[in-house]
Structure formats: C-alpha cells, structure tokens
Amino acid sequence: MSTVNDDEPLPAVPGTVGRRWLFPSAVLHELDPDTGRSGRPRRTARDWIVDFTCFVLAVVIGLAAADTLNNDPHTPDSLAVLDQLLGALACAAVWLRRRWPLGLAVAMIPVGFLSNTAGGAAMIAVFTLAVHRPFRYVAWIGGIQVALIPLFYWMRPDPDLPYAGAVAFTELFSVTVIGWGMFVRSKRQLMVSLRDRARRAETEARLRAEQAQRLAREAIAREMHDVLAHRLTLLSVHAGALEFRPDAPREEVARAAGVIRESAHEALQDLREIIGVLRAGEPDDAGRPQPTLAALDALVAESREAGMKVTLVNRVSDPAAVPASVGRTAYRVAQEALTNARKHAPGTEVTVTVEGSPGDGLVMTVRNPAPEGDVTPVPGSGQGLIGLTERATLAGGRLEHGAEADGGFRVRARLPWG
C-alpha cells in the first residue's frame, strides 16, 4: 500500500495548468505520464475542502447520535462515555482516509459496532474505500458492515424508530453510500482512460508525420538514384576521357566539353523535376506535362465548375516568366488548399492570392472563412499539408498554415524567385 508525502510537490500534468486544484490528487497522480514515484502527491485545494467537509459531516452525525444517546435511559453512563470517546477518535481518523483507506474501513467495523456516534465516520470510511480500492475489497468490507446492522440494532435499539425501520433505513443508506463511491471511482477511471487514449492518439499522429517525412526522404533518394545515375555516369565517362587524353584534337575536346555541359544541365533539370513533383497530391505519370503557374486559371475554373466559390487575385504580371519549379510548387499549394477548403469548409468563398516579382519571391495565399453551421467530419490523415510543407522546404521556401482568430483557415507559401 502506498504512503503519502504531503510535502511532495504536485506533478506537472499537461492540460491541467492553472486549475490543478480542481482535480483530486489521486487523479493527478494517474494522469501524470512521467510519474515514477511510489507515494501519492500531496493534497490539492479540492482535497482539503473535501476532507474538511467529510470531517465536519462525521462530527455533525456523531453529535446528533450523542444527543440521542444521552437521552436514552436504557444506555449506562459508562457505555455512553465509551461510545462518545470512540466516536471522537473515529471522527479524527477521517483525516487518515486517503493514506489508509482499506485499514481505516477495516478498523471501523468493530468501532462502528461498539459506537453509535462513530456511524458517520464509518460511512465515510466505506465511501473512501469504494472510491480508492477495487470492488473485491468493497464487497467484503461493505458486506460485513451491512450484515452487522441488524445485530447492532438488536443489541442497541433506536429509541425513536422501530427495529425494522431503523434496520431498513441504515442498510439502504449504507448501500447508497457504497454505490456512490463506486460511481465516483468509475468516473475517475473513465477520465484517466480517455486521457490515455488522447495521449496515444497524439503520439500516433506524431509518429505518422515522422514516418511520412522519412518515406518522402527515402523516395527522394530512390528517385535521385534512378533518374540521375545515367546522366552522371555519362558525365563521368567524358570527363575521364579528357583526363586521360589531354592531347586529343581540339574538336574532340570541344565536343566532349559540350556533352559534359549538356549532361550536367540535364541532370540539374532532372533534379529539379524530382524535387518539384515528389510528394504531389497524386502520382505523376512518366512524360506527363507538369502544371505551372499559368495553369492556375484553369484550376480555379475547374473548382468553380465543381460548385466552389473561388476568387482569384493574380498580381503577377507575367506568369510565364515564373520558373517552372516555383510555378509548379505554387500550383500544388493552391490545389491542395482548395481541396481542403472544399472538404472542411463547404459553401464558403475561398480567396486565392498570388503575388511576387523576380528577386522578391513568389507568395501564394489561400484563405477561407469559417463554415456556416456544423460540418460533417471528413476522414483524412492530414498528410497533405505535411507534404506541402516539405515540398516548399525542398524548393527553398517555406509554408505556413493554421486557423485564424475569426475561425477561418489560411495557407501561405513563400517561394524563391531568382
């Protein structure tokens, strides 16, 4: 059984900063993912309030029982004094209920049987046992207490109630207290289980994002090897020929140098193509023309035909002058952002803004306001924005996305335009 250390600081539980006093210390201890301590954390403000309330309740019930006891002519004075002494000790022991719930409940069986004024403390002890311990302990201890109630009233009848009424009322009250404690325990267990599920979901989402990035890097390595191997091999062969035949005719040297230059140019172009088309929203077929910024009008028109409200603000004077890799990345950003807006904010008017100039870079912004009413959740892994972020990074730019203060959503990509 764990011991308590009331001087031990409370653990920092994520999601409870600023309102930890509202949580029971036992729940905080369960919710702390990094706890490695065997002892229970010190009481929270809520625990102090609850413990003080339980103590006052036990004292009030004990005083009421003592008043009834003093007015009972059938109870000897010595037994009344012993009863009240045991009741006072039982009320004081209520403060130990968090440290030893099982031991206190066991001790209250003989105390409650001998002392009428200890009845309130006994009920609080069995309630604490139902909250903090499994059902098998509650069944044994609670069952014994309920079974002893008829014997208690047979030996010490209540002066104000008949025997059957006193037994029925006390047993019903005891079962209610036990059931209430079990209900509180189930609610705490549900809270802990939901928190664990949320933490596991966050961990799995982070692992999926890391796996997506790792797979993208592996795909980059494979594509670079498959596409660039031939170009670089050809370049190496001609460079080796120049190295071993420095006395070759001028025409052959010039021809080899031209092949090297052309191979290097084509390898660089292939590298740009790999970086540009990798992680696109859909696989690119071999030989398929890649979209550029000039195709943005067609993308917007296609979205409008699908029923979307799209406003295009194009402040680029000559879209054809934008480098192909930059235009392709901007096109993919707009495509993915429009797709997300169509899924998560249907019926809203989406604004697509593109601006920039050589030397200043190209900025693509897609924004949609908050949807009207509730939107049916659409299944999705959320990897599209992760892919766009990595695509923009590979292109030498950056991408920002997130919700705004008014509930809308904005995607903003800044790409280099040399």
Side-chain angles (χ1 to χ4, degrees):
M1 209 181 306
S2 62
T3 59
V4 66
N5 183 5
D6 285 350
D7 296 329
E8 182 181 357
L10 281 172
V13 180
T16 63
V17 177
R19 48 192 180 91
R20 293 187 305 179
W21 67 275
L22 291 171
F23 289 80
S25 57
V27 174
L28 287 177
H29 185 67
E30 292 292 336
L31 292 179
D32 183 10
D34 301 323
T35 181
R37 291 164 286 202
S38 59
R40 181 182 56 81
R42 65 178 177 86
R43 289 183 176 95
T44 62
R46 178 190 182 279
D47 290 340
W48 284 107
I49 295 174
V50 172
D51 289 350
F52 182 77
T53 303
C54 290
F55 172 75
V56 171
L57 181 62
V59 170
V60 170
I61 296 177
L63 291 176
D67 182 71
T68 303
L69 191 66
N70 293 330
N71 296 329
D72 186 5
H74 302 288
T75 303
D77 293 339
S78 58
L79 181 59
V81 171
L82 177 62
D83 191 310
Q84 295 177 20
L85 178 60
L86 292 176
L89 294 176
C91 292
V94 168
W95 289 100
L96 303 177
R97 69 188 189 94
R98 294 183 185 272
R99 180 180 296 185
W100 298 305
L102 179 59
L104 181 62
V106 172
M108 284 299 169
I109 293 178
V111 172
F113 186 77
L114 296 175
S115 173
N116 193 20
T117 56
M123 289 294 101
I124 293 174
V126 74
F127 171 79
T128 304
L129 181 68
V131 171
H132 293 280
R133 291 296 180 265
F135 175 74
R136 61 180 182 273
Y137 298 105
V138 182
W140 280 102
I141 306 301
I144 292 174
Q145 288 191 356
V146 172
L148 290 177
I149 291 176
L151 181 60
F152 174 83
Y153 282 106
W154 180 76
M155 297 178 59
R156 302 180 62 180
D158 192 298
D160 300 325
L161 293 175
Y163 174 79
V167 171
F169 174 80
T170 306
E171 287 191 343
L172 179 61
F173 184 75
S174 300
V175 173
T176 302
V177 170
I178 294 174
W180 182 23
M182 295 175 61
F183 174 74
V184 172
R185 176 177 173 82
S186 65
K187 283 189 62 178
R188 292 184 178 183
Q189 290 178 335
L190 177 62
M191 181 189 302
V192 173
S193 64
L194 291 177
R195 186 59 176 268
D196 290 339
R197 289 174 58 185
R199 188 180 294 116
R200 286 197 300 269
E202 293 173 357
T203 302
E204 291 173 0
R206 184 174 64 254
L207 292 177
R208 284 197 301 267
E210 294 174 357
Q211 183 181 18
Q213 294 176 353
R214 185 177 67 254
L215 293 177
R217 294 187 180 98
E218 293 174 357
I220 291 173
R222 289 194 300 267
E223 292 293 333
M224 285 184 175
H225 177 270
D226 295 340
V227 177
L228 300 180
H230 173 71
R231 307 289 187 191
L232 297 180
T233 301
L234 185 62
L235 188 150
S236 177
V237 168
H238 286 81
L242 290 180
E243 180 181 4
F244 287 103
R245 292 193 59 189
D247 56 344
R250 184 181 183 87
E251 293 77 7
E252 293 185 9
V253 173
R255 185 168 58 253
V259 172
I260 292 174
R261 180 184 61 79
E262 185 65 24
S263 298
H265 176 74
E266 292 179 358
L268 183 60
Q269 185 65 26
D270 289 338
L271 178 61
R272 289 172 180 161
E273 293 292 331
I274 293 171
I275 295 175
V277 303
L278 193 67
R279 299 303 303 275
E282 56 186 15
D284 296 289
D285 301 329
R288 176 182 174 183
Q290 296 302 309
T292 61
L293 192 63
L296 190 59
D297 292 333
L299 175 65
V300 171
E302 181 182 356
S303 299
R304 288 171 178 168
E305 291 178 358
M308 291 187 66
K309 302 174 184 178
V310 185
T311 301
L312 175 60
V313 181
N314 193 344
R315 298 192 178 99
V316 178
S317 57
D318 187 7
V322 179
S325 60
V326 176
R328 182 164 50 250
T329 302
Y331 179 92
R332 293 301 186 190
V333 169
Q335 185 182 47
E336 178 68 20
L338 288 174
T339 301
N340 289 339
R342 185 164 56 249
K343 292 193 299 184
H344 302 293
T348 61
E349 182 175 0
V350 185
T351 303
V352 180
T353 305
V354 56
E355 55 188 350
S357 59
D360 295 332
L362 185 71
V363 179
M364 167 69 69
T365 305
V366 182
R367 186 193 180 281
N368 63 269
E372 297 180 1
D374 296 332
V375 178
T376 303
V378 179
S381 60
Q383 301 299 327
L385 292 176
I386 296 176
L388 288 183
T389 302
E390 191 162 356
R391 172 191 285 273
T393 302
L394 292 175
R398 66 178 184 273
L399 184 135
E400 303 170 352
H401 58 82
E404 297 183 318
D406 59 353
F409 195 88
R410 187 184 70 167
V411 178
R412 180 184 179 90
R414 181 178 294 274
L415 305 172
W417 184 357

